[in-house]
Amino acid sequence: MLHQIVYRWDPDGLLGRRGIVPVATSLGRDEVFGWHTRTGLAEAVTMDYGDPACPASSVCLLDTPLGVALIRREFSADARRQRLNNSAHVLVGPRDSIAPFDALAWGSLERRAPGALDLDRVQPGYGLKPLPDERLAAAFEVAAGDLHEQSQRLADPLEVLVAAVLRRPRARLALLPAGAEDATVLLWGLQHLLTALLPGPWTFSTFEVDDALDDPNGAPRFIALPRVPSGPPGPRVRVDLTGHGEPFDPHRELARRIVRHYVGSGWAGFHRLLNVPTEVHTLPDADRVNAIRQRLDALGTRQEARTTRPREESAMGQAPGPVGAPPGTTGPSAGRTEPRDTREPTRGASETITVVTPSPGAPAADPTDSNRPVVRCPFCLDLVRWNENDLYERDARLRYARVDLSTVTDPVKRHDRMITTFMRCPNPTGDEEREHFLPTNYMIHEPPLVVGLIGDGLSGKTHLLAAMIAEIDAGGLRQYGVTHVPVDAGHHQEYLRDRVDLLQRGQMLATTVNHQGNLVQFADALLLRVGGRTRPIAFFDVSGEDLARGGREMQFLAAADAFVFVVDPVVAVDLPELRRLTRDGEDTAGLRRGDRTFAAVMDRLPRTAALLDQPVAVAVTKSDLIRFEPPVDAWLGSQPPRPGVVDPARTDAESRDVYSFLYAHDAGAWLSPFEEFRRCTMHFVSATGARERDGHFPGGIRPRRVLEPVVSILAMCGMLDQADIERVGV
């Protein structure tokens, strides 16, 4: 949640001061006083009335000792009162709670942004409510595609800007763009490049005047600043993005090559190369330029030649076609055989905008044409294409009614309405008797990452999944640069109510079976956003008994992209303190022959080589029961030395210790995933941190390390852009 402050002219304001002052907020008086007086917010919200280029709206991301502030400023001439009017909508929160991409997207939509206020009509006082984080995420989904497309058309000013950054990587830049309207778009492209090139994060303002210059007409119009929440401002380096007076040196030549990849089709590969084997932005300043040049050379001349083609075609008068245009459309995408845009930074977002907001006046596209996203349905396993003419809305009684959005033309309203809809799966093969529906949010982004939790019905798998979802919902992935929103808000709230809330109140959860009797149960799905990408992740909780039995319910395995194998130490590990926890009359020696569900999964998966390709994580759950055993004691209470950084060496060390522990305690039968899959990590985890007694956890729950398997899966599936990430699980 982000707190809100509204600034506008007032003779008194909330703080008893005259001028552009806080008039409404969701904070308390002491808190808003601190933000107003200790952070520079009072100066940042004020526009420069004397500047003839002062725009009607601008946005600023400010880093302060109290946290981060996102400021959307409005400026207008108030003829009735015969004065200039300045107001601002400010969102504040902890550091890193507002990503630069979200800030730019939200600011670019101005009053159309989700959660935006009519600043002239806001009632004074302390009655504002905090703004949910999801509003910024919704703004990103609406605006990201257009911003990315527009930034790719500004290759020349981006080239000048990147050269200036490479030349003075730690300087505070004051930028004079070719046109004031390009500020947000250029900053969008700059953020993509800065993320990979520099030791960010960065702040920015889309309109700013450098007081050191006498001539306001020639003053920089926006600035990009390294985030330094304290200390003196320091000098700014002025950069003329028209290129006049900027040297054409080795930095400029290198910048041209980088931007060619960004505006072409080779950015995904180059962006990856900037972070492997060592993240470029972590290198010393003296080594960074040479490292970038060497990695560019490594791509080879053929790929680099391909990435220049879009600019060459544009220069020849070839008009670029829209993102997602069908083959044969004029522009760089003409003649492509791939149905999807392969540019990495905002691929999912671009597709969303193509679907939701077609260009005004353009002919209606075939709702099932070959450029629509194709997704494998996790229920019937058919490949289905998103069809905007077959959408449904779900009511409170879980009944689906068809909806027609063709009359909704406002892009914000259309997006807000569409993300709550469902598409009826056409089940092309006709082998699924049950009618089923897929959330639109599941269909219009990158292909979903389907994760199945595998284990015996009493292994603690259901509790582990609930603890994982709870940690993600609480922002546990944010430190890795990953934010999330629900795919289906209604279902997500239902899962939180029926699973997470019960567990957090200390109640034991029921086994995996839903009201329809299906033993393969879709648990929850989330939209993960990282580095401009948006990809759904879907979790399935699978009954151990069902997997061991085999049959039709197991067909979801063919659609799964990754697995978490759950090991129950009570059954697997031969320790005296665990023997008394087994059920009376059980043959513990027979149980230790292994988990039948593990073998059932591996026998069912298609195998094209000696090792299976799906990335997997092995989670030894209930590790609190063996917390005093080495090396469990060392791992269960450990914290990563660098929060938010996946260290392949540390992951290898834990996998080695888990393997050795299971092997040493006669649990070798549970090591089969490590031996059968190409990439596998192993973890000690605990969903509850305590023993169950009579269906309850009397002392409450204390989850331990439940996100480690999820983070490893994301790393092995290429969802985390960090150094040496390709070594995880190898």
Side-chain angles (χ1 to χ4, degrees):
M1 303 292 283
L2 301 170
H3 282 286
Q4 305 189 77
I5 309 173
V6 171
Y7 277 79
R8 65 178 180 233
W9 191 92
D10 196 270
D12 198 28
L14 297 178
L15 304 178
R17 302 183 179 189
R18 180 186 179 89
I20 308 297
V21 292
V23 296
T25 185
S26 59
L27 294 167
R29 189 183 191 283
D30 291 343
E31 293 171 303
V32 75
F33 179 81
W35 276 99
H36 182 72
T37 59
R38 295 175 50 200
T39 63
L41 196 58
E43 294 78 20
V45 299
T46 306
M47 306 282 277
D48 190 333
Y49 298 150
D51 193 315
C54 187
S57 178
S58 66
V59 62
C60 172
L61 185 64
L62 185 69
D63 201 35
T64 80
L66 296 184
V68 64
L70 170 56
I71 307 164
R72 186 179 64 82
R73 301 171 291 205
E74 293 184 356
F75 167 64
S76 63
D78 190 335
R80 183 172 60 86
R81 299 182 184 179
Q82 296 183 342
R83 63 176 176 80
L84 299 175
N85 192 28
N86 185 186
S87 54
H89 186 187
V90 182
L91 304 179
V92 299
R95 182 147 316 134
D96 297 328
S97 62
I98 302 176
F101 282 124
D102 285 343
L104 287 166
W106 191 77
S108 71
L109 295 174
E110 300 179 354
R111 289 197 178 187
R112 297 179 295 115
L117 301 173
D118 185 341
L119 301 182
D120 295 330
R121 298 185 179 182
V122 173
Q123 292 297 315
Y126 294 91
L128 286 180
K129 303 294 184 183
L131 188 73
D133 296 341
E134 290 80 2
R135 298 298 180 90
L136 292 188
F140 178 92
E141 298 296 339
V142 172
D146 285 342
L147 287 172
H148 185 56
E149 278 193 85
Q150 293 174 51
S151 69
Q152 290 185 306
R153 301 188 189 119
L154 299 178
D156 292 334
L158 273 178
E159 176 185 311
V160 176
L161 180 53
V162 172
V165 170
L166 294 176
R167 204 176 290 122
R168 300 283 297 274
R170 299 186 185 277
R172 295 159 57 88
L173 303 177
L175 311 170
L176 178 63
E181 69 279 0
D182 295 334
T184 301
V185 176
L186 277 169
L187 280 168
W188 184 271
L190 176 64
Q191 178 61 30
H192 272 302
L193 296 166
L194 290 179
T195 300
L197 296 176
L198 292 180
W202 282 52
T203 55
F204 61 81
S205 173
T206 59
F207 178 78
E208 195 89 3
V209 174
D210 194 336
D211 296 333
L213 297 176
D214 296 329
D215 179 13
N217 292 313
R221 292 292 182 262
F222 74 92
I223 58 174
L225 308 173
R227 268 196 193 181
V228 183
S230 60
R236 298 174 183 170
V237 175
R238 183 183 181 186
V239 179
D240 188 340
L241 295 184
T242 63
H244 298 305
E246 299 295 325
F248 197 93
D249 55 7
H251 296 96
R252 180 75 174 272
E253 184 272 335
L254 183 59
R256 172 166 294 183
R257 297 177 66 186
I258 293 172
V259 173
R260 281 176 178 172
H261 282 278
Y262 179 65
V263 303
S265 59
W267 177 243
F270 181 54
H271 188 270
R272 182 74 174 162
L273 199 63
L274 289 173
N275 294 284
V276 178
T278 304
E279 292 174 305
V280 167
H281 65 74
T282 65
L283 297 174
D285 293 348
D287 300 334
R288 188 178 297 120
V289 170
N290 286 334
I292 296 172
R293 183 176 289 109
Q294 291 170 4
R295 297 182 190 198
L296 273 169
D297 294 340
L299 285 180
T301 56
R302 288 184 59 189
Q303 180 176 350
E304 188 167 355
R306 286 198 302 271
T307 62
T308 63
R309 192 170 303 145
R311 286 185 67 188
E312 292 168 358
E313 292 177 355
S314 179
M316 293 166 58
Q318 195 83 351
V323 173
T329 303
T330 304
S333 59
R336 287 184 186 167
T337 58
E338 290 294 331
R340 295 170 66 95
D341 186 354
T342 58
R343 291 171 293 185
E344 185 267 348
T346 55
R347 179 174 56 180
S350 297
E351 292 162 359
T352 304
I353 297 302
T354 303
V355 170
V356 176
T357 56
S359 301
D366 179 359
T368 59
D369 71 37
S370 61
N371 288 277
R372 301 297 186 185
V374 176
V375 172
R376 186 176 296 279
C377 173
F379 303 106
C380 67
L381 295 185
D382 284 340
L383 286 173
V384 295
R385 196 178 301 279
W386 188 72
N387 183 354
E388 63 182 284
N389 288 345
D390 195 21
L391 300 183
Y392 292 75
E393 289 183 325
R394 186 177 61 194
D395 62 20
R397 299 178 63 183
L398 303 182
R399 296 176 302 186
Y400 292 87
R402 194 157 187 168
V403 61
D404 181 10
L405 301 182
S406 61
T407 59
V408 184
T409 57
D410 182 272
V412 175
K413 290 183 178 179
R414 183 177 174 83
H415 176 267
D416 187 62
R417 183 86 178 273
M418 180 168 288
I419 61 176
T420 64
T421 63
F422 299 78
M423 190 197 83
R424 182 177 58 184
C425 178
N427 185 216
T429 59
D431 60 353
E432 177 60 61
E433 296 179 359
R434 294 169 298 178
E435 187 177 53
H436 51 285
F437 297 81
L438 299 173
T440 292
N441 260 341
Y442 194 76
M443 300 287 295
I444 60 177
H445 302 283
E446 293 188 36
L449 176 59
V450 178
V451 180
L453 269 73
I454 311 298
D456 180 80
L458 297 176
S459 63
K461 162 178 48 65
T462 301
H463 294 79
L464 177 60
L465 179 53
M468 287 175 171
I469 298 295
E471 289 285 315
I472 295 174
D473 201 60
L477 293 178
R478 187 181 293 276
Q479 61 181 324
Y480 298 95
V482 181
T483 59
H484 77 281
V485 293
V487 165
D488 175 5
H491 181 89
H492 179 66
Q493 291 301 320
E494 180 182 339
Y495 183 84
L496 294 181
R497 183 186 65 245
D498 295 345
R499 294 286 183 176
V500 173
D501 291 350
L502 288 180
L503 181 62
Q504 292 182 336
R505 288 199 298 265
Q507 296 187 33
M508 189 92 170
L509 300 181
T511 55
T512 307
V513 59
N514 63 13
H515 64 281
Q516 295 175 321
N518 299 328
L519 298 175
V520 176
Q521 184 174 343
F522 166 66
D524 201 5
L526 304 169
L527 284 181
L528 301 185
R529 300 195 296 115
V530 53
R533 298 175 58 189
T534 303
R535 186 178 185 184
I537 181 171
F539 294 97
F540 281 79
D541 186 357
V542 186
S543 150
E545 293 82 358
D546 183 57
L547 284 179
R549 185 177 65 232
R552 179 174 173 78
E553 295 275 359
M554 279 188 63
Q555 66 181 358
F556 95 100
L557 294 176
D561 301 292
F563 299 100
V564 177
F565 289 91
V566 180
V567 176
D568 182 358
V570 174
V571 177
V573 176
D574 187 14
L575 283 172
E577 60 266 34
L578 297 179
R579 291 172 191 158
R580 57 187 172 85
L581 300 178
T582 57
R583 297 181 289 272
D584 293 339
E586 281 187 326
D587 176 14
T588 56
L591 288 173
R592 291 194 178 93
R593 286 195 292 266
D595 192 326
R596 293 179 300 164
T597 63
F598 288 17
V601 169
M602 291 181 285
D603 291 344
R604 184 79 177 226
L605 291 173
R607 188 187 296 264
T608 58
L611 297 176
L612 294 164
D613 289 327
Q614 291 88 344
V616 302
V618 175
V620 180
T621 191
K622 305 180 187 177
S623 289
D624 56 286
L625 300 176
I626 50 176
R627 62 187 179 277
F628 300 120
E629 295 290 328
V632 184
D633 55 348
W635 286 105
L636 204 57
S638 70
Q639 297 292 334
R642 293 187 297 165
V645 176
V646 179
D647 183 356
R650 191 171 187 269
T651 304
D652 290 347
E654 184 180 13
S655 298
R656 196 163 48 242
D657 283 351
V658 174
Y659 188 101
S660 300
F661 177 81
L662 294 177
Y663 185 85
H665 291 89
D666 297 329
W670 277 263
L671 298 174
S672 55
F674 189 87
E675 297 165 352
E676 294 291 335
F677 288 87
R678 191 178 306 279
R679 301 186 72 177
C680 175
T681 61
M682 309 182 80
H683 309 275
F684 292 113
V685 304
S686 175
T688 63
R691 279 190 60 188
E692 169 267 339
R693 288 182 176 85
D694 300 324
H696 292 82
F697 300 95
I701 65 167
R702 297 176 299 279
R704 302 286 186 87
R705 310 186 77 247
V706 294
L707 278 187
E708 296 299 315
V710 177
V711 171
S712 292
I713 291 292
L714 294 179
M716 291 185 285
C717 291
M719 287 293 290
L720 301 180
D721 216 357
Q722 298 185 13
D724 297 331
I725 207 74
E726 75 283 353
R727 287 183 46 224
V728 173
V730 176

